[in-house]
Amino acid sequence: MAEMKHAKKPERRAPERRPREPKRPRQSAPREPRPAIGRSRVFKAALAREYGVTQLPESLKLRTEKTLSTLPDVMPSKPRPILRLFRGMATAAAALAVASVILLGLNSTNPQLTESMPGLGPMFAAMNERPTPQPTAGPTPQPEFNPVTVLSKGDFDGVLIIDDAWSDGKSLLLDMSISPGDSFYDICDKFGLGSAPSLSLGTMLQNEYGENYKENNASLLVDYGDGYIELGPDAFAPVFKTDSSGRLTARWQAELDGDIEAGDELTVTLSVPDLTTIAEFDSFPIYSWASNFETTFTLPVSTNKNRVFSLQASDGPVRLHSVDYSPSKVTLDVSLPYLGMVGDLIPDRGESSGCPLGFYAQLSCTTSGGEKFIYSPSADYMSSRNSSDPGLSELSEMSYTFTTIGEAADPRELRSPLVLTFYEFPLEFNDGQSLGRVTAEFTIDLYTGMAYPSENYLENGFEKGDASKTTVERLEEASYNGLLLMPMGNWPEAINSGYDPFAAFTLSAPAEASGRELAVQCYFNGAVVHSFIFVLGENNEWEDGTVYTNYFTLPGAGLEYLQANVNIFYPDELANTYGYVLFDRLELIDPFSGEVIIPDLKAAWEDIYIKLLGAKPYSSGIAANDSENDVSSSSPPL
């Protein structure tokens, strides 16, 4: 065994291969030679039929047979590569033309498909001027919530019902209702609360002066596993109002600041120890009950509609960088240029004068019913500015957060696309509708993660401003020989009218114009019925009128301006003859040269208003969060 253990293994021999025999060619029967074409009877008969000759003359017949006998068996053909190339190119061009016609027709009917084609997609997107919005994904079924009924453990005759609860990880939405008993309505009748009472959380107390006030002790605790969020009385205070069906209902949406992810489950603990009723037009509490509602329930976090994506969309100098979307909360990161200050175009606006132009964003979308919904900004515009340059001389990085908090719409009913619009002036300057022009606008398609410039603002009577122009340039373009009728302090109806009785206007000019003498001429029935001479920079009272001057500095432009408030007393002769009638127009001239500087002060004010602030906004009937946001078609003085 030992010898075998160390024995040498035999070498492996390659198997012997036999050489293959070469394949023999197949044997085929010999083909008979083809008769010469000149001796073919069939060919001769064809020629006779072609030329209509059945019997040839003998001499022609002999010559023809001699010629045919000299022809080869196979006719030679010359190769023509250039002709073949042109024929191939013509065929390819024809095929390309047919394909182009088909694609152009497809682009007119289904641009989404052509824009998504590899290679050709950017060409069709450029042809369509902007990317075509992709179809919005259909509604995703939401997990059903089983209503929770809570019995009162106090002296309140009724139950609290959690009709619906939902969370996308950013907010918690509660739809609640209260079903009271007969004793509740008896008390409402006793205190004359009418047929539509309301209930708020809290109890009625009295201060040392015997005055009633309400104290809320309700709370909402949200436990999401890795932590919890507690909303106290300041953050949890829904009011139950009587709806059209006679039920007391309330919707409450609370922001959740925790790190809540998909798959998490929320455990919600609700405590409502007291309820108080108040009068419809009175904020003072009238009667309180000890309701002692307490309940705990769970619900899953639904993040199937949440979207987070980065992009590079530009509308002029404004750039949109990223979108963090959930149905209840949207955060957008943008870069905005420095356009000047609000006080440059509308001086003397208090704290707003030092606010930059163009930073005022509005986010809107469409409800399932086709109505426009405007989101609520969750923070002050300037609190999210991230810029170390106090002068804002360069682009400022901004982060805007919008929420759907409120009772105007259910966030689950909202859908893309979103419309992000930047206005020059704060929205509160005109009851929710911005004065001035639009800085930029983007339409954001959540289905594709794309954004592109749009012009929805045109529907509301706005126009886009020129971001390349400074406020100093805009003031120069709007002036009449250096003089301005700024929107501030001017009321167009007072310029030609004799209310009080006098005509009034406010004239602005650079401070170096102080000492310039001007004259106002008042026209009636085409003739000058009154004239008034005054000096800029002076404070004077004359028999014909008064002038009061003050100075202000434009915060962004760094220029000092004067403001002359001119009042023209109504002429006695005109009042005695016609009564206090309107002037036809007021004309501003140079009293020395007679040069007309402003032929019609009222028309000039309207012209300057449009040049400085843009086209005058009008009421479009848009349904926003608050019905108080409706605006009138007239423009009040600023």
Side-chain angles (χ1 to χ4, degrees):
M1 294 293 292
E3 293 177 1
M4 291 181 66
K5 188 174 183 180
H6 297 283
K8 195 172 183 180
K9 293 183 180 180
E11 294 182 0
R12 193 179 285 180
R13 297 177 63 185
E16 296 182 1
R17 295 184 178 179
R18 297 179 181 180
R20 291 184 179 180
E21 295 181 1
K23 291 184 179 181
R24 297 178 181 178
R26 293 181 180 179
Q27 298 293 331
S28 58
R31 182 176 298 177
E32 295 181 0
R34 180 183 299 174
I37 191 171
R39 298 182 177 88
S40 173
R41 287 178 295 175
V42 176
F43 183 72
K44 293 179 180 179
L47 284 177
R49 287 194 304 270
E50 179 69 21
Y51 294 99
V53 180
T54 57
Q55 185 66 33
L56 297 177
E58 190 65 26
S59 59
L60 180 60
K61 180 178 181 182
L62 292 174
R63 291 180 182 178
T64 303
E65 287 181 352
K66 184 179 178 179
T67 303
L68 292 175
S69 64
T70 61
L71 293 175
D73 294 340
V74 180
M75 296 295 291
S77 61
K78 293 183 179 180
R80 298 181 178 179
I82 301 299
L83 181 60
R84 289 183 180 179
L85 176 62
F86 278 112
R87 285 177 177 174
M89 292 175 63
T91 304
L96 181 60
V98 173
S100 300
V101 171
I102 294 174
L103 287 176
L104 288 173
L106 181 62
N107 182 60
S108 63
T109 57
N110 192 350
Q112 296 92 348
L113 180 60
T114 55
E115 290 174 8
S116 63
M117 295 176 62
L120 297 176
M123 180 188 71
F124 282 106
M127 185 186 303
N128 297 333
E129 293 186 355
R130 59 173 64 95
T132 303
Q134 299 293 329
T136 304
T140 304
Q142 300 292 331
E144 293 186 1
F145 177 80
N146 295 322
V148 177
T149 301
V150 189
L151 299 176
S152 172
K153 297 180 182 179
D155 59 4
F156 181 75
D157 180 17
V159 296
L160 170 68
I161 303 173
I162 312 297
D163 298 296
D164 192 12
W166 169 81
S167 176
D168 58 3
K170 302 292 183 68
S171 299
L172 170 65
L173 179 73
L174 296 177
D175 277 329
M176 302 171 287
S177 62
I178 291 178
S179 297
D182 294 337
S183 61
F184 167 78
Y185 292 103
D186 292 340
I187 292 176
C188 291
D189 292 339
K190 178 181 178 180
F191 287 97
L193 297 177
S195 59
S198 62
L199 281 170
S200 59
L201 309 188
T203 186
M204 180 179 63
L205 300 175
Q206 286 188 346
N207 59 21
E208 57 182 337
Y209 303 105
E211 298 171 338
N212 294 338
Y213 70 95
K214 187 184 68 173
E215 183 178 79
N216 183 13
N217 295 318
S219 64
L220 185 70
L221 180 67
V222 182
D223 189 339
Y224 55 93
D226 294 336
Y228 66 91
I229 300 169
E230 185 173 9
L231 304 177
D234 295 334
F236 183 65
V239 177
F240 293 81
K241 298 180 180 179
T242 305
D243 61 14
S244 57
S245 63
R247 301 171 63 240
L248 285 162
T249 61
R251 167 169 290 168
W252 186 254
Q253 185 174 323
E255 290 192 63
L256 304 177
D257 298 327
D259 188 14
I260 304 173
E261 300 177 354
D264 289 346
E265 188 176 65
L266 303 182
T267 300
V268 181
T269 301
L270 176 65
S271 174
V272 181
D274 304 290
L275 289 172
T276 294
T277 184
I278 58 176
E280 184 177 359
F281 301 104
D282 194 353
S283 59
F284 293 103
I286 294 177
Y287 193 87
S288 296
W289 295 266
S291 54
N292 292 335
F293 289 128
E294 290 186 1
T295 185
T296 299
F297 58 90
T298 61
L299 72 151
V301 176
S302 176
T303 60
N304 53 354
K305 290 188 177 181
N306 294 10
R307 303 281 187 274
V308 179
F309 49 86
S310 299
L311 45 82
Q312 289 295 331
S314 299
D315 186 6
V318 181
R319 299 169 189 166
L320 175 62
H321 300 298
S322 66
V323 178
D324 185 348
Y325 170 84
S326 65
S328 65
K329 189 175 183 179
V330 185
T331 300
L332 305 159
D333 293 329
V334 297
S335 296
L336 290 163
Y338 172 66
L339 303 179
M341 295 293 178
V342 170
D344 291 348
L345 304 181
I346 309 180
D348 197 22
R349 290 293 297 188
E351 295 181 358
S352 299
S353 297
C355 293
L357 293 166
F359 277 61
Y360 308 99
Q362 185 180 81
L363 184 69
S364 62
C365 69
T366 307
T367 66
S368 58
E371 297 178 351
K372 187 172 181 178
F373 174 79
I374 299 177
Y375 287 77
S376 301
S378 63
D380 181 73
Y381 291 106
M382 298 309 298
S383 64
S384 58
R385 178 167 58 88
N386 181 19
S387 175
S388 58
D389 181 7
L392 299 175
S393 60
E394 298 178 356
L395 289 177
S396 292
E397 304 300 323
M398 302 282 291
S399 181
Y400 293 86
T401 299
F402 299 90
T403 65
T404 57
I405 291 178
E407 301 180 5
D410 189 324
R412 291 168 292 183
E413 297 176 353
L414 305 180
R415 65 188 186 203
S416 64
L418 303 176
V419 178
L420 175 64
T421 308
F422 290 93
Y423 296 94
E424 286 188 343
F425 294 96
L427 302 177
E428 59 270 16
F429 271 22
N430 197 14
D431 297 328
Q433 290 286 346
S434 174
L435 296 170
R437 296 175 173 88
V438 167
T439 309
E441 183 183 275
F442 298 94
T443 292
I444 305 168
D445 193 324
L446 299 174
Y447 183 77
T448 61
M450 299 173 61
Y452 53 87
S454 56
E455 297 179 335
N456 297 279
Y457 53 84
L458 296 176
E459 300 175 1
N460 298 329
F462 291 95
E463 61 183 24
K464 184 182 291 185
D466 186 354
S468 64
K469 291 183 179 179
T470 65
T471 51
V472 175
E473 291 173 333
R474 291 169 67 173
L475 290 171
E476 291 177 351
E477 291 178 357
S479 67
Y480 288 77
N481 197 357
L483 302 177
L484 282 164
L485 288 160
M486 278 190 168
M488 175 194 67
N490 276 298
W491 179 257
E493 302 305 326
I495 295 178
N496 291 14
S497 169
Y499 78 89
D500 227 3
F502 54 77
F505 62 92
T506 300
L507 193 66
S508 300
E512 54 266 25
S514 179
R516 183 177 178 181
E517 192 168 342
L518 300 169
V520 178
Q521 296 190 142
C522 306
Y523 281 80
F524 180 72
N525 286 340
V528 176
V529 296
H530 188 58
S531 61
F532 176 60
I533 298 177
F534 64 96
V535 179
L536 291 178
E538 293 184 1
N539 297 321
N540 288 302
E541 296 184 5
W542 294 279
E543 182 180 352
D544 295 331
T546 63
V547 175
Y548 301 101
T549 304
N550 57 63
Y551 293 83
F552 58 88
T553 301
L554 302 183
L559 300 176
E560 188 177 13
Y561 264 65
L562 62 83
Q563 177 178 283
N565 301 301
V566 182
N567 298 321
I568 303 174
F569 298 153
Y570 209 79
D572 294 335
E573 295 178 1
L574 188 64
N576 295 333
T577 305
Y578 296 98
Y580 293 109
V581 295
L582 297 178
F583 292 120
D584 294 339
R585 61 186 174 90
L586 267 64
E587 182 182 65
L588 191 68
I589 66 171
D590 185 324
F592 297 103
S593 64
E595 175 192 0
V596 177
I597 301 173
I598 302 178
D600 189 334
L601 292 179
K602 182 178 180 181
W605 179 87
E606 295 174 349
D607 176 62
I608 292 172
Y609 185 101
I610 292 174
K611 287 181 178 178
L612 292 184
L613 306 184
K616 190 183 304 183
Y618 62 87
S619 177
S620 58
I622 294 173
N625 298 47
D626 194 342
S627 59
E628 294 179 1
N629 287 347
D630 293 337
V631 297
S632 62
S633 58
S634 61
S635 257
L638 302 174

